[in-house]
Amino acid sequence: MSQTVEIDSDENERNSDVEQQIGNKDDAERKIDFEPQDVIKTRGSLVWKYFHFSGTTNLGADKKKVFCKLCERNKKKGKKMSQIPYSGGTTNLTKHLKIWHKSEFKKAEEEASKKTDANKNSSIKDYYGEKTKHKWSKSSVNWKNATMSIAKWCAKNSRPAFIVEDSGFRCLMDLICPQYEVPSAKTIGRYIYQLYELEHSRIKEKLKDIEFCAVTTDGGTSSNAVSFQDTNVQYINEEM
């Protein structure tokens, strides 16, 4: 004798909903790997390329531990060996590489050394300055005025002309005025001599009608060991 079993359609729908919920829960709790840069600020440490975080799609990454990619590839070491406690620094990670993955640790050290050397060799201009190919022409008013300002600074403050050939001075000028090409010490010397000629003519013109005057001189050395001579002229003119 055959029997027919009837299943309520509502019950089928309820069973389908339960299965879907279970499936969604499984998806939410599915374990996935997270790259370090997606979880924390790695600050450029090269050891991070050998590690990753783990977690679920629902809860995100577990920041209390990291996993070594190299150990996971080597099945002999097992999962336990690849798991490393993490508390915010890379000391444990570096120590793990140094002990268990010597060749990779050496590579990371060499890359870090090259990166450090590159940073040391970079100039202030490369780091801060605005790079520009356009330079003022040496016949332009802007270039001449800037050069004369440097010459006046050297003359008034007892600075040597060769200060313009100092690498730090040139980097500073490239930073604050990249359009200006710093001249040589010889050029600054010529501009200082022009200042001397102008001042000499001015004083000579001022004293041309003076019949008698008293002249005193004094010599000394500035704080930066530069010798100088001071000349004082005293006279009586028509205005006095």
Side-chain angles (χ1 to χ4, degrees), residues 145-182:
N145 287 341
T147 304
M148 182 59 76
S149 295
I150 294 175
K152 289 179 179 179
W153 170 61
C154 290
K156 186 176 180 180
N157 296 279
S158 301
R159 298 292 186 270
F162 59 78
I163 195 172
V164 297
E165 296 181 356
D166 181 81
S167 59
F169 180 82
R170 288 181 174 270
C171 284
L172 175 64
M173 294 304 298
D174 283 343
L175 171 62
I176 61 179
C177 188
Q179 297 88 356
Y180 178 64
E181 183 178 348
V182 180

Side-chain angles (χ1 to χ4, degrees), residues 51-204:
F51 298 90
H52 69 83
F53 287 92
S54 184
T56 63
T57 53
N58 187 29
L59 299 177
D62 181 2
K63 297 181 181 180
K64 293 183 179 180
K65 53 191 175 184
V66 295
F67 294 87
C68 175
K69 298 177 182 178
L70 300 172
C71 288
E72 288 179 340
R73 293 172 193 166
N74 189 348
K75 295 181 180 180
K76 292 182 180 180
K77 293 183 179 180
K79 185 176 180 181
K80 188 175 181 180
M81 181 67 72
S82 68
Q83 182 175 313
I84 303 165
Y86 178 71
S87 57
T90 58
T91 302
N92 288 349
L93 284 62
T94 304
K95 186 177 180 180
H96 177 85
L97 280 180
K98 189 174 183 179
I99 295 174
W100 298 104
H101 311 287
K102 291 181 174 60
S103 59
E104 284 77 9
F105 174 75
K106 187 176 180 180
K107 290 179 183 178
E109 270 194 327
E110 290 174 352
E111 289 182 33
S113 179
K114 291 179 181 178
K115 187 176 180 181
T116 301
D117 291 341
N119 291 336
K120 286 181 180 179
N121 293 331
S122 63
S123 64
I124 298 174
K125 176 185 174 182
D126 293 333
Y127 194 77
Y128 293 105
E130 178 184 355
K131 296 182 179 179
T132 177
K133 294 182 179 180
H134 176 68
K135 294 285 186 181
W136 290 334
S137 169
K138 292 185 178 181
S139 60
S140 67
V141 175
N142 286 336
W143 189 89
K144 290 181 178 180
N145 287 341
T147 304
M148 182 59 76
S149 295
I150 294 175
K152 289 179 179 179
W153 170 61
C154 290
K156 186 176 180 180
N157 296 279
S158 301
R159 298 292 186 270
F162 59 78
I163 195 172
V164 297
E165 296 181 356
D166 181 81
S167 59
F169 180 82
R170 288 181 174 270
C171 284
L172 175 64
M173 294 304 298
D174 283 343
L175 171 62
I176 61 179
C177 188
Q179 297 88 356
Y180 178 64
E181 183 178 348
V182 180
S184 65
K186 188 175 181 180
T187 300
I188 294 296
R190 288 202 303 267
Y191 272 73
I192 292 175
Y193 187 76
Q194 290 177 21
L195 290 172
Y196 163 76
E197 290 287 344
L198 290 172
E199 191 66 13
H200 179 268
S201 298
R202 185 185 70 80
I203 295 174
K204 188 176 180 180

Side-chain angles (χ1 to χ4, degrees), residues 197-214:
E197 290 287 344
L198 290 172
E199 191 66 13
H200 179 268
S201 298
R202 185 185 70 80
I203 295 174
K204 188 176 180 180
E205 178 67 23
K206 193 172 184 179
L207 296 176
K208 71 177 182 177
D209 296 327
I210 304 300
E211 187 174 358
F212 300 102
C213 66

